[in-house]
Every structure is written in C-alpha cells, then in structure tokens.
Amino acid sequence: MPVSLTGGRVLVPDGTLSPADLHFANGLITEEPASNAVQIDCTGYHVMPGIVDIHGDAFEMALFPRPGVGMPFDIAMGSVDRQLVASGITTAFHGLSVSWEPGARSLDAGRRFMQAMGERRGGFLADHRVQIRWETYAHEAIEDVKGWLALDLAPSLAFNNHTPATIKKINGGDPLALDRFAMRAGLSTDGYLAEFEQMMRCADDVPGRIRELAARAAQLGTPMLAHDEPTPAVRAEHRALGMKISEFPMARDVAADATAHGEHVVMGGPNVIRGGSHIGWMSAEEAVREGVCDIIASDYYYPSLLSAAERFVNRGVMPLERAWQLISGNPAAAMGLSDRGALAPGRRADIAIVDCTGPWRVVHTIAAGRLVSFGR
C-alpha cells in the first residue's frame, strides 16, 4: 500500500535535515505521492534512513542463551528480528563466528545457521545478512566458506585471529577466561587446551590459507574486513590482500593509517555509550572526534547504534546529520549496498522515524516498505 510520511524533518539526500514529505510504494521510495497513499503524520519527528548494522553478534545469545543450550532458529531469530526493528535497524549483518572450536562457534553450527538463514530470511521484517567471521586457524572450514561466499545471500567476510589473545591468557594464567572459552565450546578446560594445542599445529599454513580465501573473496567482489588489527604493518598486509575495512582496530595509529588510505574504520556502539572500551582499547568517541572512525556497529548490543548517535549529538561531537551517516550511509557504502542508506527515489523504503525530543526512541520502522509501529 502506498504511504506518505508527512510533517516530519527528513534527512534528504544532500545530507541536510529539512521539513519535507516522503513517499514510498512497493517497497521503494518514490518521487511523488500516490493518489491513494495512506498518510502518516510525522510532525515533531525525524525521518531518517534505516540503520545498517555492519557487525552484530548479539544473536548468539538468542540462539545459545546458556553454554550448551541451543534454541530453535525460528524462535531465536524471530526475537532478534523484532529487536532489530525496534532499534531502527533495517539491515543487519550477523557476525557468524566460524572457528576451530567445537560448540556454538563450530563449523557444524555455522552450517546449520547458514542453511536456516538461507531458508527463512525472507520471512523476517529486517534484511538479515551474514558477516562470516572466519578464524584464520579454522582450515577445515575454508571450502564451506568459499561456498557461502557464492550464495545469493552475499555475505561479507571478516578475517579474525584470536589466537594471540588466547596464548596470552594461557601464558598469563587467566583460568577464568579459559574456563569461559571451554564452556562456550562445551569442553573441560583441559579438553579445550588439548584442542588448542592440536589446532596450533597448522600455524605454518595460516598465511597461505588467508591468501587463498582472500583471493576467492576478491574474485567474487565480497567486502572484506580485518578484525582486531594490532599495528599499521598488519593493516598494510591486509590492505594488499583486499581487506579494505578495518574492524575494531586495537590502536589509534591503525585507524589513522586506514583512514589515510581512504578505508573504512568500524568501532562498536557499546564502546561509545559506555564511554570507552571494556578491554582498554581505543575510545570510539575519541576516534570519531579525531576523524579516524566512520562506521559504528552494534557489536554485541543492538540498541547501542541509536544511542551512539544520540550521544554524539548531545555531547557536541557532531550534528545529527553526520552522526546518522555513521550508522546508515557509511556502513551501506562499505558493504556495497547502493540501494539503501539514503532517502532518495528508487532506493529501498528502509526508514526509521525517531522522536528526539527527549531520550531518543524509534516511533516507526519501515523495512522495505513494511511498517512497524511502537506507539507515540
């Protein structure tokens, strides 16, 4: 049914907020209203492009609310879908970790998730997509990942190497962290350490397998992200392989190096709203202030995206128009999604209608023309 949003302040394609009406029909934004359009009064509200979440893994808690306890995909992801639209998120890349570990992040769990996502994603309100977070020591997963990259789902690919952090915990004697890792994998701590030792035997093969998978992703035009980069030298290595997005860099000089090369830098919404990194890394707000971060992702908490934009505005970091780019236009561009991230005729009718008069809240979310309302 055609709809006209009237009376609101619209983030128009030139990047300004202007009093305007916005029209859509058949899932797309239109230049003119239809004669039979339903009118929705948006007076006092901001009409913004739907939020694009480039990396979120809060869905893991819906699927596995306790170690070793799984929930049916339909129930878990249906709940996640409603969390997304309630947060104004109309496109979500779920960070699917594919690791050498057994359990929730195993290759078998990844296979089940990808099959279910392919079968059921059309029934969701938001556009559910996948960021394959491949652990670079998970060599048994490479052929599966290559196959997933060629699917119509068109995932992005993040290269992860959490091995150095695990080694540090082992050598530093951090039993609580190891216990958590073991519980996630469904193993005893001794069993987890045995699996880790077995996995480390493939260390010499890691650089070649990274090159192999990066080459396949480049061939397919898959957006590639490098996760937790420690130094500019590592960023340069990843750049040479086609990884043009630096995700959660560990230090400012890494983010600055990526920015200097015209690359996207992703940091987490929870970092913004908590006032800093919970593990002592770079402050996302400081990175945004200094111009070395241009995308905010939900990381592990979906409401953090709207709240991060609100914090940037309220603290004078930047005006609303620019803050919204961090959570919509820029992530859409990074993922090559030219059909969203701006409210222009012909683009998807992905829209968040936000009340900014007090604590920000989403009043309506429109995902590909489907309206979800949350009350005034």
Side-chain angles (χ1 to χ4, degrees):
M1 183 175 295
V3 174
S4 290
L5 307 175
T6 62
R9 290 176 58 82
V10 179
L11 185 62
V12 296
D14 69 2
T16 61
L17 271 168
S18 303
D21 296 340
L22 187 71
H23 319 287
F24 61 90
N26 299 316
L28 299 176
I29 296 171
T30 60
E31 186 81 45
E32 300 294 335
S35 59
N36 61 335
V38 173
Q39 305 275 320
I40 297 179
D41 182 13
C42 296
T43 301
Y45 299 146
H46 291 82
V47 180
M48 313 298 285
I51 296 172
V52 178
D53 187 9
I54 203 171
H55 168 117
D57 56 31
F59 75 97
E60 286 186 334
M61 284 300 295
L63 284 169
F64 301 98
R66 294 286 187 273
V69 177
M71 290 294 158
F73 183 92
D74 289 344
I75 297 173
M77 296 307 294
S79 172
V80 167
D81 186 49
R82 282 147 184 80
Q83 291 179 56
L84 293 172
V85 294
S87 300
I89 299 170
T90 52
T91 302
F93 283 80
H94 298 300
L96 176 69
S97 293
V98 183
S99 174
W100 53 269
E101 295 180 2
R105 297 186 170 183
S106 67
L107 175 56
D108 284 342
R111 287 168 174 165
R112 292 192 297 271
F113 182 87
M114 289 299 291
Q115 180 177 348
M117 183 62 72
E119 293 171 351
R120 296 176 173 87
R121 64 186 291 257
F124 295 128
L125 294 167
D127 184 9
H128 290 242
R129 293 170 174 257
V130 178
Q131 180 203 84
I132 300 170
R133 300 181 64 202
W134 174 62
E135 285 289 339
T136 56
Y137 281 71
H139 294 175
E140 291 184 0
I142 288 177
E143 293 307 314
D144 287 84
V145 172
K146 287 180 180 178
W148 294 337
L149 295 181
L151 295 175
D152 291 340
L153 180 61
S156 61
L157 177 62
F159 293 77
N160 293 258
N161 181 11
H162 290 120
T163 305
T166 304
I167 292 172
K168 185 176 180 179
K169 287 179 172 60
I170 292 171
N171 293 338
D174 188 349
L176 293 179
L178 292 176
D179 287 347
R180 289 196 300 270
F181 294 166
M183 288 179 64
R184 183 179 65 198
L187 298 169
S188 67
T189 301
D190 287 343
Y192 182 86
L193 290 172
E195 289 276 350
F196 185 82
E197 182 179 347
Q198 175 69 23
M199 177 273 297
M200 287 297 294
R201 294 176 183 175
C202 74
D204 292 343
D205 299 328
V206 168
R209 304 317 292 270
I210 292 174
R211 290 192 297 270
E212 175 187 345
L213 196 49
R216 178 58 175 157
Q219 183 183 45
L220 294 169
T222 301
M224 286 187 277
L225 308 90
H227 187 81
D228 289 357
E229 293 174 305
T231 66
V234 173
R235 171 90 291 268
E237 292 174 7
H238 290 159
R239 178 180 301 120
L241 294 173
M243 304 176 205
K244 298 300 177 65
I245 304 169
S246 181
E247 183 179 59
F248 307 120
M250 297 171 66
R252 186 197 180 282
D253 57 353
V254 180
D257 183 72
T259 301
H261 284 84
E263 298 162 344
H264 294 287
V265 176
V266 184
M267 299 192 71
N271 182 320
V272 176
I273 63 176
R274 295 180 70 255
S277 167
H278 72 285
I279 52 177
W281 291 357
M282 179 172 49
S283 160
E285 181 177 322
E286 290 179 7
V288 169
R289 285 183 182 273
E290 295 172 16
V292 295
C293 171
D294 66 333
I295 294 173
I296 300 297
S298 75
D299 198 1
Y300 54 85
Y301 191 61
Y302 297 127
S304 68
L305 288 174
L306 183 69
S307 295
E310 179 181 16
R311 181 179 171 96
F312 288 145
V313 173
N314 290 345
R315 289 171 61 84
V317 178
M318 58 180 58
L320 173 57
E321 300 93 312
R322 287 182 54 207
W324 206 266
Q325 280 294 109
L326 300 175
I327 60 174
S328 185
N330 292 351
M335 292 293 99
L337 299 175
S338 59
D339 62 343
R340 65 200 75 186
L343 300 178
R347 298 209 186 190
R348 279 173 57 104
D350 286 350
I351 306 163
I353 300 171
V354 184
D355 180 359
C356 300
T357 56
W360 290 13
R361 63 187 184 91
V362 174
V363 181
H364 307 292
T365 296
I366 295 143
R370 292 174 292 183
L371 172 68
V372 184
S373 296
F374 304 100
R376 292 177 175 266

